[in-house]
Amino acid sequence: MCGIIGYIGKKEANRILISGLERLEYRGYDSAGVAIIDDNNNNENNDNKINTNKVKGRVENLKCKNIPGMIGIAHTRWATHGRPSDANAHPFVDKTQDFAIVHNGIIENYLELKEELRKEGVSFTSDTDSEVIVHLIARNYSNNIKEAVIKTVKKLQGAYAFCVIKNDKKEIIGARNGSPLIVGVGEEENFLASDVSAVVEYTKKVIYLGDFQIAEVKNDSLNIYDFNGDEKEIEIKTIDWNLELAQKDGYKHFMLKEIFEQPKVIEDTLKVKMDIKKDFSKIIMVACGTASYAGLVGKYLIEKIAKIPVTYEIASEFRYREPLIDENDLVIAISQSGETADTLAAIRLAKEKGAKTLGLINVVDSTIAREVDDVLYTRAGPEIGVASTKAFISQLILIYKLAFKLAGKEFYFDLNKFKETLSLNEKLKELAKKYFLYQNFLYIGRNTSFPLALEGALKLKEISYIHAEAYPAGELKHGPIALVSEDMPTLAICPMDEVYLKTFSNIEEIKARDGKVISIATEGDQKIKEISDDIIYVPKVEEIFYPLLITIPLQLFAYHIADLKECDIDKPRNLAKSVTVE
Ligand code: M6R
């Protein structure tokens, strides 16, 4: 993953780079760094220095040092190769310290390249895969950075977006293959960045670099080339982004703000126009994490409502199998970021096999959105919290709309019931006080409540670091029930639906073994109260709409537990918002 940014212009680069990094921190926050050319030194030899400031930990740690200069690059890291440390923080410089680079992605053949460079006398200062790039560029340089980059990319295997500067050149070169990179086009200043959020404060004009492209960026000009050095046409897009959406508005965390934004998100996503032809025989849902659980809800819903066969695939598995798909299939990729490496690769594989592709994507013009045959945008707005909440609900809404559309039926959902469910917040805060010290949880559900159990358990794991396992309720007796004890509570999702009595019996089985049960049930269900230690009621709605309501207590339960444990909710350890490496 990682976030990268470059600035060239007439302003001090340090402040711009650090504020850009703060917006990119969702991509990783293990270490951060900047490298800036000190161009005040206008001597005859033009031998300016590159100064760096890099530290383990958060971007804010960079703020205590100011580096002068108007051309620079910066990085916020999600560690892949080499643990988080000052030495493994980017930017990396070559031995002459004339070149500096920042990199997002993975160089798969770095060990081989390292060996080759070592034989030529290069010594390495980090354990990363990225450092080879700067040494290769220095080796390949003869007065033109772009040419050195073209030679270098021929040696690299893997996915990357990188930026490079040289001490005596007034330009930044960026290269992209597999990891995102945009150019922000300003007035007498230009930017390179992993995404538009980093530059939107300064410009709304952007160029989305394609794979195998190189950007040569100066303060008053820019050119794009392919990896053969041939110049490409430039297409500048104007983005419709609003920075205010990325503020906390008085909420303690972005996650809580985003949970409470969901009614508006539903309202906006309901307005999405859908014009889909039923010219396929089956649907394959591909996605990762929370988005994949939306896909699994989709399988249950589309099969039930539209009677079309749907398979559900985790993108990282799908891409390395030999899936039996062809031109009669529709592959639907679900992704908030639109940049998830495995989901992108799954879509590319589907296209290779001739399948039609559709994206349910949140970030407009993201890589997946641009590569699929058709895209439907979820209207969740920028989601900052690493734990996905409002994006999930917007994905569900598009899936409902799709199921109804394919069935030729009208879709109507009463938003008031959803708003009512949000008023459970205080109750969940109280409930969290009772449960936040447990180390393990089971989550169970049947039918559409099973993917919700997966999603609820994922939320708890990722923000509170509590171990939580989710199972279809009917699977318990095939093994997991051995885990049940008074130390491992179960969160049972048991609304009044067609499998109510089945899940009810599973709860009884847990109680018979001294397990504690928190039930999420339908308002008015007195029977379930008798067998539950705690109960959360959601309003009564038509059966198929329970997933929308039940999502709320799952999100709030995880949130309040993590808050009581004083966890870093918006930036949980080891995670990043956008997973652009496989
Ligand atoms: O951007 P995407 O929707 O493709 O991301 C997929 C997953 O990485 C994401 O949903 C992840 O599981 C979240 N952290 C879950 O809250």
Side-chain angles (χ1 to χ4, degrees):
M1 276 87 86
C2 309
I4 60 179
I5 177 166
Y7 173 78
I8 181 162
K10 299 201 162 160
K11 300 180 191 135
E12 284 299 316
N14 196 57
R15 192 187 56 80
I16 292 171
L17 293 174
I18 292 177
S19 79
L21 283 187
E22 283 177 325
R23 298 199 193 289
L24 291 174
E25 225 179 357
Y26 74 89
R27 303 178 71 86
Y29 31 82
D30 291 334
S31 64
V34 293
I36 295 176
I37 301 174
D38 183 358
D39 44 12
N40 286 327
N41 179 23
N42 269 333
N43 60 27
E44 267 176 26
N45 304 330
N46 213 11
D47 59 351
N48 302 317
K49 268 180 69 186
I50 293 180
N51 294 312
T52 59
N53 174 20
K54 45 188 212 166
V55 285
K56 181 181 167 188
R58 300 289 162 89
V59 170
E60 65 175 23
N61 299 340
L62 295 173
K63 287 185 178 165
C64 50
K65 193 165 161 190
N66 185 34
I67 316 185
M70 294 176 286
I71 308 169
I73 54 177
H75 187 272
T76 180
R77 177 170 189 243
W78 186 82
T80 60
H81 298 59
R83 62 207 310 275
S85 67
D86 290 357
N88 289 334
H90 298 221
F92 294 109
V93 293
D94 71 311
K95 77 168 177 236
T96 61
Q97 302 197 3
D98 288 349
F99 297 87
I101 66 110
V102 286
H103 165 230
N104 166 32
I106 292 180
I107 304 303
E108 288 168 354
N109 59 337
Y110 83 105
L111 284 174
E112 194 184 310
L113 293 170
K114 230 172 161 172
E115 196 45 41
E116 188 181 313
L117 287 159
R118 268 203 188 107
K119 283 188 188 142
E120 293 171 13
V122 173
S123 43
F124 286 81
T125 57
S126 78
D127 304 319
T128 66
D129 54 330
S130 310
E131 196 186 339
V132 295
I133 302 173
V134 75
H135 297 300
L136 285 171
I137 291 174
R139 180 180 84 181
N140 292 330
Y141 181 77
S142 54
N143 210 29
N144 184 314
I145 319 179
K146 184 191 80 199
E147 294 303 326
V149 166
I150 289 175
K151 281 188 193 149
T152 300
V153 293
K154 296 206 161 65
K155 300 279 287 181
L156 302 178
Q157 284 167 19
Y160 49 85
F162 66 81
C163 294
V164 52
I165 50 173
K166 181 161 186 329
N167 65 330
D168 57 358
K169 297 278 181 196
K170 292 192 183 322
E171 62 185 6
I172 308 175
I173 305 291
R176 174 193 164 144
N177 172 20
S179 303
L181 193 60
I182 61 116
V183 181
V185 185
E187 295 289 328
E188 293 193 80
E189 61 182 4
N190 287 309
F191 308 79
L192 279 150
S194 295
D195 81 34
V196 294
S197 65
V199 303
V200 72
E201 197 179 338
Y202 307 99
T203 179
K204 300 233 175 334
K205 289 188 189 151
V206 300
I207 300 164
Y208 292 93
L209 225 58
D211 275 343
F212 313 112
Q213 288 192 344
I214 291 172
E216 187 182 53
V217 179
K218 302 187 179 176
N219 61 0
D220 53 0
S221 71
L222 57 94
N223 295 291
I224 311 285
Y225 303 88
D226 63 19
F227 277 8
N228 295 319
D230 295 329
E231 196 159 349
K232 307 296 289 178
E233 229 174 82
I234 292 180
E235 191 193 342
I236 299 180
K237 292 199 168 191
T238 304
I239 46 163
D240 178 20
W241 252 76
N242 178 354
L243 258 194
E244 278 146 37
L245 287 173
Q247 312 299 328
K248 274 194 230 157
D249 280 351
Y251 284 92
K252 188 169 177 192
H253 298 97
F254 278 111
M255 180 177 174
L256 192 61
K257 177 191 172 222
E258 287 163 1
I259 291 172
F260 277 90
E261 272 171 12
Q262 290 179 118
K264 171 86 171 75
V265 166
I266 294 180
E267 214 166 35
D268 291 347
T269 308
L270 281 171
K271 290 182 194 143
V272 172
K273 296 241 170 348
M274 213 175 254
D275 180 24
I276 183 158
K277 277 195 224 85
K278 206 186 138 216
D279 54 357
F280 47 84
S281 52
K282 71 172 193 294
I283 294 176
I284 297 108
M285 299 280 188
V286 289
C288 300
T290 287
S292 83
Y293 302 145
L296 188 52
V297 175
K299 173 181 165 61
Y300 284 94
L301 289 178
I302 295 173
E303 289 190 340
K304 186 181 174 78
I305 301 168
K307 312 288 176 217
I308 297 171
V310 182
T311 58
Y312 153 81
E313 300 270 1
I314 299 286
S316 55
E317 286 298 310
F318 178 82
R319 63 179 291 192
Y320 290 118
R321 293 200 287 110
E322 287 183 26
L324 299 177
I325 53 170
D326 57 34
E327 61 281 2
N328 298 314
D329 297 324
L330 173 68
V331 175
I332 302 184
I334 309 172
S335 175
Q336 187 285 128
S337 62
E339 301 292 348
T340 300
D342 287 317
T343 311
L344 176 61
I347 275 298
R348 288 179 177 165
L349 177 64
K351 287 179 88 171
E352 245 171 67
K353 289 184 175 279
K356 297 168 215 23
T357 55
L358 169 68
L360 309 186
I361 310 293
N362 195 40
V363 177
V364 175
D365 279 332
S366 53
T367 310
I368 302 175
R370 283 180 285 125
E371 291 209 11
V372 283
D373 299 322
D374 286 301
V375 60
L376 292 170
Y377 285 114
T378 49
R379 305 234 176 116
E383 189 180 61
I384 311 290
V386 164
S388 190
T389 53
K390 60 176 182 168
F392 178 69
I393 216 78
S394 67
Q395 289 157 355
L396 290 188
I397 290 292
L398 277 193
I399 284 166
Y400 276 100
K401 284 192 71 153
L402 195 64
F404 276 80
K405 182 89 188 172
L406 290 169
K409 294 181 186 161
E410 275 301 305
F411 170 59
Y412 174 75
F413 171 64
D414 181 0
L415 197 52
N416 289 322
K417 300 283 181 189
F418 188 87
K419 289 182 183 159
E420 227 178 278
T421 315
L422 277 170
S423 65
L424 286 171
N425 188 34
E426 284 306 314
K427 173 127 210 241
L428 284 151
K429 201 168 173 179
E430 284 309 304
L431 192 67
K433 288 182 188 155
K434 190 167 163 190
Y435 286 96
F436 79 104
L437 291 175
Y438 284 89
Q439 310 277 317
N440 302 287
F441 275 83
L442 265 177
Y443 279 62
I444 59 166
R446 286 174 183 257
N447 205 307
T448 46
S449 296
F450 165 53
L452 291 185
L454 288 165
E455 170 58 6
L458 177 63
K459 286 290 89 91
L460 189 69
K461 278 182 273 209
E462 67 178 339
I463 60 169
S464 75
Y465 319 139
I466 292 174
H467 167 230
E469 293 202 39
Y471 280 95
E475 269 293 294
L476 274 194
K477 59 180 87 57
H478 300 287
I481 202 162
L483 292 169
V484 167
S485 75
E486 51 182 28
D487 298 328
M488 186 165 190
T490 300
L491 191 146
I493 306 173
C494 188
M496 284 280 193
D497 60 11
E498 58 194 321
V499 286
Y500 170 77
L501 287 175
K502 304 289 167 196
T503 313
F504 193 96
S505 302
N506 298 132
I507 298 175
E508 301 242 43
E509 287 156 13
I510 295 168
K511 288 310 297 171
R513 286 159 183 84
D514 293 329
K516 289 197 170 58
V517 175
I518 308 164
S519 295
I520 299 185
T522 303
E523 213 161 57
D525 180 358
Q526 292 304 320
K527 220 167 81 172
I528 203 165
K529 210 170 179 177
E530 287 164 28
I531 58 161
S532 307
D533 295 84
D534 287 286
I535 188 139
I536 297 293
Y537 284 126
V538 296
K540 189 168 173 39
V541 284
E542 205 185 312
E543 246 181 58
I544 51 159
F545 293 129
Y546 280 117
L548 293 168
L549 304 196
I550 287 167
T551 297
I552 297 174
L554 295 174
Q555 295 170 340
L556 288 171
F557 186 60
Y559 172 81
H560 288 298
I561 286 192
D563 193 30
L564 286 167
K565 293 187 77 188
E566 297 182 358
C567 295
D568 194 346
I569 293 182
D570 288 329
K571 293 195 179 91
R573 70 182 181 205
N574 303 340
L575 294 178
K577 180 79 184 155
S578 181
V579 185
T580 56
V581 293
E582 58 174 295

